[in-house]
């Protein structure tokens, strides 16, 4: 069964460093998403991406964040200068069409020290 | 934000019990309602998806939506130890496009043998 994959599973970084989280969506999917979950809190929407551009972003997704689809299979989330409060589980999701639901990857646990 | 409210539990039941999980919401524009299951250190896995009000059944799982009360439920019949997980409700306000999902905090369920 096709699935969304994410790497790395755990990333530890120093405050102020740049990190790139990687996702491989399901191969025929067209819509891509990033969510995050701070420990003990809700899963929160960050950004959606379609046709090589951002469709929607939340108030969390400020200038420190960017997304890219560098090739036909990867979808990345970059945090330019990490803060302690960026420590969270980051989930990538993809969907096949506008009315399809979203399938989530296993997540990357980001720890900012 | 208090758009979606969900009792975090924990909820502990014996094997074979009927489990009832619930969420309330405040945004009357929500039209798509989902239940995800999340095992420890994994991404959310879609269980049920319903549109607007009504019931939907899939095996031991039944999802109910009452838009007039802004209340959704997930029932699990004949619960099994393998059902032990965190259950997340999620919703979307897109007309024909599933955009950002709004999640509840999740209810942690343990089914003991």
């Amino acid at each position: 069964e096709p699935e969304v994959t994410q790497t790395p599973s755990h990333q530890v970084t120093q405050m102020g460093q740049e990190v790139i989280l990687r996702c491989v969506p399901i191969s025929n999917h067209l819509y891509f998403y990033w969510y995050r979950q701070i420990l003990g809190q809700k899963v929160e929407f960050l950004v959606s991406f379609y046709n090589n551009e951002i469709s929607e972003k939340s108030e969390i997704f400020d200038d420190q964040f960017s997304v890219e689809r560098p090739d036909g299979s990867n979808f990345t989330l970059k945090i330019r200068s990490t803060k302690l409060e960026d420590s969270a589980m980051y989930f990538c999701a993809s969907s096949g069409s506008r009315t399809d639901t979203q399938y989530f990857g296993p997540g990357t646990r980001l720890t900012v020290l | 934000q208090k758009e979606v409210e969900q009792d975090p539990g924990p909820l502990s039941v014996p094997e074979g019990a009927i489990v009832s999980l619930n969420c309330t919401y405040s945004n009357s524009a929500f039209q798509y309602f989902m239940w995800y299951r999340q095992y420890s250190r994994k991404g959310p896995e879609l269980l049920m998806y319903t549109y607007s009000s009504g019931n939907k059944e899939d095996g031991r799982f039944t999802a109910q939506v009452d838009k007039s009360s802004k209340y959704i439920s997930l029932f699990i019949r004949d619960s099994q130890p393998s059902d032990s997980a965190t259950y997340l409700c999620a919703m979307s306000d897109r007309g024909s496009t599933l955009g950002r999902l709004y999640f509840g905090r999740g209810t942690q369920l343990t089914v003991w043998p």
Side-chain angles (χ1 to χ4, degrees):
Chain A
E1 185 176 329
E3 58 183 16
V4 177
T5 59
Q6 291 184 243
T7 54
S9 57
H10 190 192
Q11 174 90 48
V12 181
T13 190
Q14 295 289 327
M15 190 171 55
Q17 295 296 304
E18 175 183 287
V19 294
I20 297 177
L21 309 183
R22 291 182 167 80
C23 168
V24 178
I26 294 173
S27 64
N28 61 344
H29 281 185
L30 302 174
Y31 296 79
F32 313 113
Y33 312 84
W34 284 102
Y35 291 81
R36 78 172 187 190
Q37 186 176 30
I38 295 171
L39 188 64
Q41 297 187 24
K42 297 179 180 181
V43 175
E44 301 173 290
F45 171 80
L46 292 177
V47 66
S48 59
F49 190 88
Y50 170 69
N51 200 26
N52 280 319
E53 60 183 26
I54 290 174
S55 302
E56 184 181 1
K57 58 183 181 179
S58 73
E59 55 282 355
I60 302 169
F61 194 88
D62 61 22
D63 292 343
Q64 293 298 313
F65 291 89
S66 62
V67 289
E68 190 179 30
R69 187 150 163 85
D71 53 43
S73 59
N74 290 283
F75 180 51
T76 62
L77 174 70
K78 181 194 289 187
I79 309 175
R80 261 179 275 281
S81 178
T82 49
K83 306 183 186 74
L84 295 176
E85 54 265 36
D86 293 328
S87 294
M89 196 76 165
Y90 287 80
F91 293 108
C92 173
S94 69
S95 67
S97 71
R98 288 186 158 192
T99 54
D100 197 6
T101 193
Q102 296 173 29
Y103 295 86
F104 284 75
T108 292
R109 182 173 300 279
L110 177 65
T111 301
V112 182
L113 302 176
Chain B
Q1 286 186 349
K2 296 191 174 184
E3 299 227 40
V4 182
E5 293 295 311
Q6 183 177 10
D7 186 341
L11 185 60
S12 181
V13 301
E15 183 175 355
I18 296 174
V19 176
S20 172
L21 304 167
N22 312 292
C23 288
T24 59
Y25 62 95
S26 57
N27 187 347
S28 57
F30 286 146
Q31 297 184 62
Y32 295 85
F33 304 92
M34 286 135 278
W35 286 94
Y36 283 84
R37 178 172 61 194
Q38 187 177 24
Y39 293 112
S40 182
R41 299 183 181 278
K42 301 286 188 183
E45 169 197 10
L46 181 68
L47 272 181
M48 300 284 287
Y49 160 57
T50 54
Y51 169 69
S52 195
S53 284
N55 294 358
K56 185 173 184 178
E57 191 173 316
D58 184 2
R60 296 184 295 110
F61 298 89
T62 300
Q64 287 185 352
V65 175
D66 181 350
K67 289 189 72 179
S68 62
S69 301
K70 297 191 180 67
Y71 188 87
I72 71 170
S73 301
L74 178 71
F75 297 95
I76 307 173
R77 289 183 299 281
D78 188 24
S79 56
Q80 303 295 308
S82 58
D83 295 327
S84 298
T86 297
Y87 289 79
L88 307 171
C89 62
M91 336 194 157
S92 176
D93 59 1
R94 292 295 183 264
S96 60
T97 302
L98 280 181
R100 65 186 294 177
L101 298 181
Y102 295 83
F103 281 86
R105 286 188 63 185
T107 299
Q108 186 181 344
L109 171 68
T110 300
V111 181
W112 43 276

